[in-house]
Amino acid sequence: MQKIFYDTRMLDQAARDAYGLTEDIMMENAAAALERQGSEHFFSPDNKYINRPCVLILAGGGNNGADGYALARRIVQHKIDVAVCKVYEPKSAMCVLQADRAKKAGAIFINPYDLDEWIERASFDLRVVYDCVFGSGFHGTLDAMAAAVIASANKIDGAYKIACDLPTGCGASDCKSANDSGIDKNCSQGQNAVAESFGHTNNSFQCQNAAAFRADTTVTMGALKLALYSDAAKDACGKIVVADLGVSRSNFESAASAVCSPANDSGADKDCSQNQKAGREQKASQAQNPAAALPCAQVLEPADARLPLRDKKQNSHKGTYGHTAIFAGTKPGAAVIAGHAALKFGSGLATLVPVAGKINFENVADFELMVADTVPKNATALVAGPGLGRPDDFGLTGNCPQDQEAAGGFGLASASGIDKNPLQDQKAADSTDCGPAAVFGALKSSAMPAVLDADIFYWPQIKNLLAAKKNVVLTPHPKEFAALLKNLGMGDYTVAQVVERRLELAKEFCAAFPGATLLLKGANVLIASKLQGEQEPRVYINALGTSALAKGGSGDVLAGMIGALLAQGYLPLEAAVTASIAHASASHAFDGKDYALTPFGLIGAI
């Protein structure tokens, strides 16, 4: 796992203080990292040129632009033509200094109005384009000039594209600071009003501009930023590389904690002046702010999965590996997919349990899956939601009598899964009442862990269920999460707002329902859970998935995989993490074109 931070500017300052670094030293290391990423492209012996290799650097007026000017000075010494497009005039002290150095070293400067003409002339020799316009400090939307420059850069064919820190056009969608509960003083009154009206916080990151720079590689400075892992940023960032800025990444990430640490004698350093003491106290106070100086999430890697391998259990049988029961409703194919996925991911047994009077499995289930009228007494995990049906599928408003849950045909007598009410005895009642209410009754009365997915989030009974049951994994996509939040009385959000504010909303959910594990689907999957005894939710981001998973039934596969791990004794959070990684990895392992991946193709690749 790798740590992710809201904002690393405080870490920059903490590293300078802790290790005696200067801004100039850190900037030189940043430029060197950018140079290394591009060197194989402009130094390749296979390249053929009309003149000689050429590099284009798009530079802003702040310290991201300063990195670009420092880069220009370094590259020009290799007898490479370097052109710096001054998207904005140098403004920060370091940017002014680095621009002067680059000019003296021989870099040429062009203005944005001449960019298209320059690109046309240099196109055959142009090998690398660097985006150094904005970094992680970007807020709001691009102005017309910057948008036009980025659009022109994106159209360049044959050149490798590298973003410095964060692709321009990706960034915070609001104006609130991570370490300030108030509105950012650098924002206009209009921007502040918009941020306040939507209740945005700096948890909200997006890549909201159509003209966002499309990088092949993003070299982010010092540590990973949350903005790199918004759904929209996935198409802009390309490969993400973390650059050391004069100290190792681990030392950079821990620098703020070092500043937070008290002196050994618990008092201020006796050799410090009063001003130095005050300055250190102020820095410590800032660094202790979790939102600013501590990780807000961790990005998952393939090695973080704990697969259900059987190498240490040779003396075993099918019951050793659990029994997954999947409720099936108006769309039984989804439950069939989940059942097959559960078997493929290690569950010893998988049984489909039809919602009363709604489906016929004669032409749906094959011989690998069992079908039972009731939840089997030896079941060890439940999956509810895939293909269950929404209230209107049953001709209902979703406002079923609360006592219908207890009367449902799947009400379990004990945690072992014993059902005293045969399904056939309940069919008549369920034909006119809420058949799925029986599912809620079973879920509430059972101690078994459960996966909640898809249609189940549209039922109002979900609120009482989550209040009563903690050992659950919820796997909504953004639209389903919006429906869930509404049914929980936690707000009425559009899908776009859920996508934009997903970390904030996930944390609010975890605070309201501690113990539950949320897996919020998207281009980058977010997994969160507030465990007993911990102050803050644990948050993980899985960025391993591909667009091949954008196919009906992929989510049913994931639900079945998580159910299989729960059935085998995994805790909900570790089941969600491992299944999510394996699910994404299977999309890479599929032997075929990405558009051809089907649910059963995905299951085959697990």
Side-chain angles (χ1 to χ4, degrees):
M1 296 181 188
Q2 302 180 60
K3 298 174 183 177
I4 304 173
F5 298 82
Y6 282 112
D7 188 339
T8 59
R9 285 173 290 185
M10 185 171 292
L11 295 179
D12 286 343
Q13 183 60 55
R16 289 197 289 271
D17 294 341
Y19 302 106
L21 302 175
T22 65
E23 193 171 19
D24 212 345
I25 289 174
M26 297 180 80
M27 192 163 287
E28 197 65 24
N29 280 279
L34 290 167
E35 181 184 11
R36 282 193 297 273
Q37 287 300 315
S39 61
E40 64 179 278
H41 300 283
F42 46 74
F43 289 140
S44 172
D46 297 329
N47 288 336
K48 296 179 174 62
Y49 312 100
I50 291 178
N51 298 301
R52 61 181 185 175
C54 183
V55 171
L56 172 64
I57 300 172
L58 312 176
N63 280 0
N64 202 254
D67 289 340
Y69 287 113
L71 173 66
R73 172 179 50 78
R74 293 179 64 91
I75 295 177
V76 77
Q77 66 181 319
H78 299 298
K79 296 183 178 180
I80 293 173
D81 286 340
V82 179
V84 181
C85 178
K86 297 169 67 175
V87 183
Y88 301 101
E89 287 296 321
K91 184 176 180 181
S92 72
M94 285 302 299
C95 193
V96 172
L97 175 62
Q98 296 288 9
D100 183 59
R101 290 172 175 174
K103 184 177 181 179
K104 290 176 178 177
I108 64 169
F109 294 171
I110 58 176
N111 69 61
Y113 298 103
D114 298 328
L115 180 60
D116 286 338
E117 181 182 347
W118 183 90
I119 291 173
E120 186 175 353
R121 289 199 315 269
S123 60
F124 194 86
D125 298 327
L126 185 55
R127 288 294 174 263
V128 182
V129 179
Y130 286 97
D131 166 26
C132 301
V133 182
F134 293 112
S136 55
F138 173 75
H139 294 267
T141 56
L142 297 178
D143 61 29
M145 177 63 75
V149 168
I150 296 302
S152 294
N154 284 338
K155 293 176 183 176
I156 299 173
D157 291 326
Y160 196 80
K161 298 180 177 68
I162 301 173
C164 175
D165 204 36
L166 182 71
T168 293
C170 294
S173 63
D174 56 77
C175 298
K176 296 186 80 173
S177 169
N179 58 2
D180 186 356
S181 61
I183 300 299
D184 193 326
K185 298 177 178 62
N186 293 326
C187 296
S188 69
Q189 290 184 350
Q191 288 173 313
N192 286 336
V194 170
E196 288 177 319
S197 68
F198 281 94
H200 287 172
T201 71
N202 208 39
N203 296 355
S204 310
F205 286 90
Q206 62 176 354
C207 178
Q208 62 185 20
N209 298 285
F213 186 79
R214 298 295 189 244
D216 297 297
T217 294
T218 295
V219 181
T220 196
M221 302 306 166
L224 295 173
K225 290 88 174 169
L226 182 61
L228 294 164
Y229 294 97
S230 72
D231 278 2
K234 190 159 187 172
D235 282 335
C237 292
K239 177 184 176 183
I240 298 173
V241 176
V242 179
D244 291 342
L245 298 179
V247 293
S248 70
R249 179 177 173 185
S250 60
N251 283 343
F252 181 87
E253 291 177 342
S254 63
S257 298
V259 172
C260 289
S261 301
N264 292 336
D265 61 1
S266 75
D269 191 331
K270 297 178 178 59
D271 294 329
C272 291
S273 67
Q274 291 298 318
N275 287 338
Q276 287 174 320
K277 292 175 185 177
R280 185 169 63 181
E281 288 172 358
Q282 181 181 16
K283 290 170 185 174
S285 175
Q286 292 173 334
Q288 285 171 334
N289 187 321
L294 301 178
C296 62
Q298 296 184 81
V299 63
L300 296 172
E301 300 172 289
D304 295 321
R306 188 173 71 83
L307 298 174
L309 302 175
R310 301 184 175 187
D311 53 342
K312 296 182 179 180
K313 289 186 178 181
Q314 298 306 311
N315 182 21
S316 60
H317 55 83
K318 60 190 176 185
T320 306
Y321 304 104
H323 188 163
T324 309
I326 304 101
F327 293 110
T330 60
K331 298 177 281 288
V336 171
I337 290 170
H340 279 286
L343 283 178
K344 189 62 182 272
F345 211 44
S347 184
L349 296 164
T351 295
L352 304 177
V353 184
V355 174
K358 293 298 176 185
I359 54 175
N360 185 329
F361 276 95
E362 289 181 2
N363 299 316
V364 176
D366 63 23
F367 298 111
E368 289 185 351
L369 302 178
M370 297 181 289
V371 180
D373 287 345
T374 61
V375 175
K377 64 176 65 177
N378 63 342
T380 53
L382 301 171
V383 178
L388 177 67
R390 303 180 190 179
D392 55 356
D393 293 326
F394 291 84
L396 302 166
T397 63
N399 298 315
C400 302
Q402 292 301 317
D403 62 357
Q404 185 69 19
E405 292 184 11
F410 300 132
L412 301 184
S414 69
S416 65
I418 299 173
D419 191 337
K420 292 184 177 180
N421 299 311
L423 178 65
Q424 53 267 34
D425 294 340
Q426 192 65 25
K427 285 184 178 180
D430 284 336
S431 64
T432 57
D433 276 320
C434 292
V439 176
F440 284 96
L443 291 165
K444 285 181 66 175
S445 61
S446 172
M448 282 186 285
V451 181
L452 306 179
D453 183 44
D455 290 341
I456 201 166
F457 302 122
Y458 292 92
W459 289 83
Q461 291 96 323
I462 190 74
K463 183 174 184 179
N464 289 337
L465 173 61
L466 292 179
K469 193 173 184 68
K470 306 298 182 185
N471 56 340
V472 294
V473 179
L474 301 90
T475 59
H477 57 54
K479 184 178 180 181
E480 292 163 350
F481 192 46
L484 173 64
L485 292 174
K486 185 175 182 179
N487 278 326
L488 296 176
M490 296 181 66
D492 193 354
Y493 298 96
T494 65
V495 173
Q497 288 171 328
V498 168
V499 172
E500 181 184 339
R501 302 177 60 184
R502 60 182 185 152
L503 179 57
E504 174 191 353
L505 294 174
K507 286 187 173 183
E508 288 181 6
F509 172 84
C510 291
F513 298 96
T517 296
L518 174 68
L519 185 152
L520 182 55
K521 299 169 186 172
N524 293 313
V525 175
L526 186 151
I527 304 170
S529 184
K530 188 174 186 298
L531 303 182
Q532 185 176 3
E534 297 185 356
Q535 293 295 320
E536 292 292 325
R538 297 190 186 187
V539 180
Y540 303 101
I541 294 177
N542 179 2
L544 300 171
T546 72
S547 59
L549 293 169
K551 188 74 67 75
S554 293
D556 304 319
V557 173
L558 178 60
M561 293 171 70
I562 297 172
L565 295 184
L566 294 177
Q568 294 171 79
Y570 282 60
L571 296 174
L573 182 57
E574 66 176 348
V577 167
T578 292
S580 180
I581 294 172
H583 185 256
S585 298
S587 72
H588 292 276
F590 174 67
D591 186 16
K593 301 295 185 183
D594 55 5
Y595 58 78
L597 182 63
T598 65
F600 284 99
L602 182 61
I603 291 171
I606 293 174

